[in-house]
Amino acid sequence: MPDIRDFKDIHAGRRCFIVGNGPSLNLMELSFLSREISFGMNCIYLGFDKFGFRPTYYTVEDVFVAEDNNKEIDALSGMVKFLPQDLSYCLADGPDVCWVNFVRRYEPYPQFSADASERIYWGSTVTYLSMQLAYYMGCDPVYLIGVDFNYVLPDYADGKANITSREDDVNHFHPAYFGKGKRWHDPRLDKVEPSYREARRFFEAHGRTVQNATVGGKLEVFPRADYARLIGG
């Protein structure tokens, strides 16, 4: 079973890709990621066949995603899965699972962990967990793709924090991602943005960068990178 300490600076000075789950993934050629260090998240497995890659690492932290997709997550293989210890009640242990101390409640918010072997902070998005892992592994630069930062809330959400979908998902690359019957949280981008700003501040304070290579989208916290130029890099 992997230990989080085994990953300290394992990719020092190498670029990596944190792959979000936005609709923009459908506009991209992603097979190049099979040759890259990459982080996949949540229900990224719905796109494995279409996109032609499997991530190096997998992360999940949302309770609804873990509970509603535990069989699919447990069945994932060929990648190291970084899972919060407090989700061990619904996600199985295994030879490819690395449990992490994931801190969900803390003040002041947000905080970025310099040492993932001690703790990783919640930042209102699983992308923030992946950023802290990428930092711990020494990755530089870190590229975001498929992080559209744009959600359409259905009328029946009506201000609810917890939503059960009644229709196909329009906010992710696959209609079944949060499709009918799936539970999801109001994404609260007003809480995500401060986390992203803290990630940028932290990386840059330590001489590294996070860049947004998403095709389109509304995330402007990070400097933009041209995805097309990265494919042959």
Side-chain angles (χ1 to χ4, degrees):
M1 183 183 302
D3 185 296
I4 182 65
R5 292 169 294 185
D6 298 336
F7 296 90
K8 173 66 174 173
D9 291 330
I10 193 172
H11 302 306
R14 294 183 60 188
R15 73 180 188 177
C16 77
F17 291 81
I18 294 177
V19 185
N21 296 293
S24 65
L25 289 185
N26 293 319
L27 305 175
M28 306 175 74
E29 196 288 312
L30 297 174
S31 62
F32 82 98
L33 289 173
S34 64
R35 306 183 299 273
E36 301 283 350
I37 301 162
S38 62
F39 293 80
M41 304 173 286
N42 291 354
C43 299
I44 185 62
Y45 52 82
L46 291 172
F48 282 174
D49 291 340
K50 176 180 180 179
F51 298 140
F53 86 99
R54 297 172 72 87
T56 317
Y57 306 111
Y58 171 84
T59 61
V60 63
E61 50 93 327
D62 185 278
V63 172
F64 287 169
V65 176
E67 290 180 346
D68 291 352
N69 304 280
N70 60 337
K71 291 181 180 178
E72 292 84 355
I73 294 170
D74 289 346
L76 291 176
S77 61
M79 65 201 73
V80 177
K81 295 183 282 189
F82 290 93
L83 307 178
Q85 292 170 345
D86 64 358
L87 293 181
S88 61
Y89 72 93
C90 65
L91 297 178
D93 201 358
D96 54 359
V97 171
C98 184
W99 298 103
V100 298
N101 177 27
F102 189 66
V103 183
R104 296 182 186 271
R105 292 183 176 86
Y106 59 92
E107 292 291 342
Y109 173 92
Q111 295 182 47
F112 193 97
S113 176
D115 187 350
S117 69
E118 292 186 358
R119 66 186 66 85
I120 298 177
Y121 293 105
W122 176 77
S124 199
T125 171
V126 65
T127 309
Y128 199 62
L129 188 163
S130 294
M131 289 178 178
Q132 291 170 85
L133 288 172
Y135 179 84
Y136 184 71
M137 294 180 187
C139 297
D140 182 47
V142 174
Y143 292 108
L144 307 180
I145 58 175
V147 183
D148 293 30
F149 202 63
N150 183 34
Y151 286 84
V152 177
L153 292 177
D155 292 340
Y156 55 81
D158 195 26
K160 299 174 183 174
N162 302 331
I163 305 162
T164 299
S165 184
R166 303 176 187 172
E167 57 200 6
D168 286 350
D169 187 350
V170 299
N171 294 309
H172 296 88
F173 68 86
H174 195 288
Y177 191 99
F178 283 139
K180 189 174 181 179
K182 293 287 188 178
R183 299 175 298 163
W184 52 293
H185 296 103
D186 181 339
R188 289 296 304 273
L189 298 184
D190 61 314
K191 291 189 71 66
V192 176
E193 184 170 340
S195 296
Y196 284 165
R197 293 192 180 281
E198 175 60 12
R200 176 174 180 172
R201 184 202 68 78
F202 194 93
F203 267 82
E204 292 181 352
H206 293 84
R208 300 196 228 165
T209 63
V210 178
Q211 300 178 44
N212 181 16
T214 299
V215 173
K218 296 185 177 180
L219 179 59
E220 303 300 341
V221 171
F222 304 100
R224 289 272 187 170
D226 185 349
Y227 141 79
R229 293 184 179 180
L230 296 176
I231 291 180

